[in-house]
Amino acid sequence: LITAIKVKNLSFYYGKTKVLEAISMDIYQNQITAIIGPSGCGKSTFIKALNRMNELEEEIKVEGRVEFFSQNIYSRRVNLNRLRRQIGMVLPRPNLFPMSIYDNVAYGVKIIGWRPKQELDEIVESAIKAAGLWDEVKDKLHKSAFGLSSGQQQRLCIARALAVKPKVLLMDEPCSGLDPIATIKIEELIRNLRGELTIAIVTRNTQQAARVSDFTAFFGTDENRIGRLIEFGATAQ
Ligand code: ADP
Ligand code: ADP
């Protein structure tokens, strides 16, 4: 196994409040790692610490290290835009842009650099296919993304994240608020990426973790209500 992200003794604070204590674990390349645990134990904080999304919201402090293929992501030399392109993220609720289905998926690809239209079309199509959404949207690519159901919108967010070909995809409770059928579709698309993409997924659903993941990290809180890693290992199938 190759380590994509190495977390070493990570403690995390919002302001002066410590919410994670001394977390050490690896996110392995081309494996799916589920992060599970009760509400409030710091799962979402942890996954956002892996591509530095927390600091958009709040003043934070980090102790320890997070290394992405051996590079310390909290180094001052890190290019955050480049980092977040390489470590993509899907949030609990769809957060599409007020644009067409096509333009949502093409958006990040266009930022990276100009490509011929045919090449862009191919990237958009293969990302939407990987998200298991192609048959549902191929006839309305230039219609507003807001016309889609919430499950479809969430899969489109996944397509948008995949389109820039990230090395790692972080998913923070991607099925929260979705009905069982929409949830199954997202689990299917995650399983289809198994072995091909490094994925870390936060979920409160232990059965979902068992269904989709290769490794499971159990988080919990200590007597001071600070989040800790309780156990890490291969997922029991
Ligand atoms: P989980 O994802 O496991 O439910 P979170 O990472 O959302 O846990 O939250 C962990 C702890 O950090 C909670 O006590 C929560 O109240 C606190 N917290 C989360 N986000 C912030 C924030 N932006 N500012 C301050 N405290 C926060
Ligand atoms: P619209 O939102 O009306 O599609 P855009 O400015 O997003 O307008 O782009 C129009 C078309 O031009 C796109 O559908 C795309 O095919 C092409 N295009 C725009 N920017 C790029 C780019 N960076 N690389 C490749 N094609 C592009």
Side-chain angles (χ1 to χ4, degrees), residues 100 102-103 109-111 113-117 120-121 142:
S100 70
Y102 181 100
D103 287 338
V109 183
K110 288 181 184 177
I111 287 175
W114 189 89
R115 285 161 199 275
K117 172 149 177 40
L120 191 62
D121 286 352
H142 297 286

Side-chain angles (χ1 to χ4, degrees), residues 216-233:
T216 303
F218 296 84
F219 279 53
T221 49
D222 64 16
E223 61 283 3
N224 301 313
R225 317 206 88 250
I226 300 173
R228 286 179 177 268
L229 177 63
I230 307 293
E231 201 184 324
F232 176 84

Side-chain angles (χ1 to χ4, degrees), residues 12-15 17-20 35-48 54 57-60 172-173 202-204 219 221 225-227:
F12 189 98
Y13 303 74
Y14 288 112
T17 310
K18 191 186 248 190
V19 297
L20 291 174
I35 295 148
I36 66 175
S39 185
C41 69
K43 303 180 298 298
S44 176
T45 299
F46 175 76
I47 202 168
K48 287 189 277 183
N54 301 300
E57 304 159 12
E58 189 86 21
E59 179 145 347
I60 64 148
D172 187 2
E173 297 200 41
V202 167
T203 175
R204 269 179 288 180
F219 279 53
T221 49
R225 317 206 88 250
I226 300 173

Side-chain angles (χ1 to χ4, degrees), residues 52 71-78:
R52 295 183 57 178
Q71 176 199 30
N72 173 17
I73 71 160
Y74 284 94
S75 151
R76 262 192 231 164
R77 276 167 298 152
V78 164

Side-chain angles (χ1 to χ4, degrees), residues 1-2 25-36 187 189-201 203 206-218 231-237:
L1 289 170
I2 295 168
M25 62 177 268
D26 287 7
I27 306 284
Y28 296 119
Q29 187 173 32
N30 294 342
Q31 303 288 313
I32 301 178
T33 301
I35 295 148
I36 66 175
E187 290 184 9
L189 88 83
I190 294 170
R191 274 203 303 268
N192 286 337
L193 293 166
R194 206 172 200 168
E196 288 170 29
L197 182 63
T198 308
I199 297 178
I201 174 175
T203 175
T206 51
Q207 291 167 340
Q208 174 167 79
R211 285 193 294 267
V212 304
S213 71
D214 302 299
F215 290 88
T216 303
F218 296 84
E231 201 184 324
F232 176 84
T235 301
Q237 297 297 339

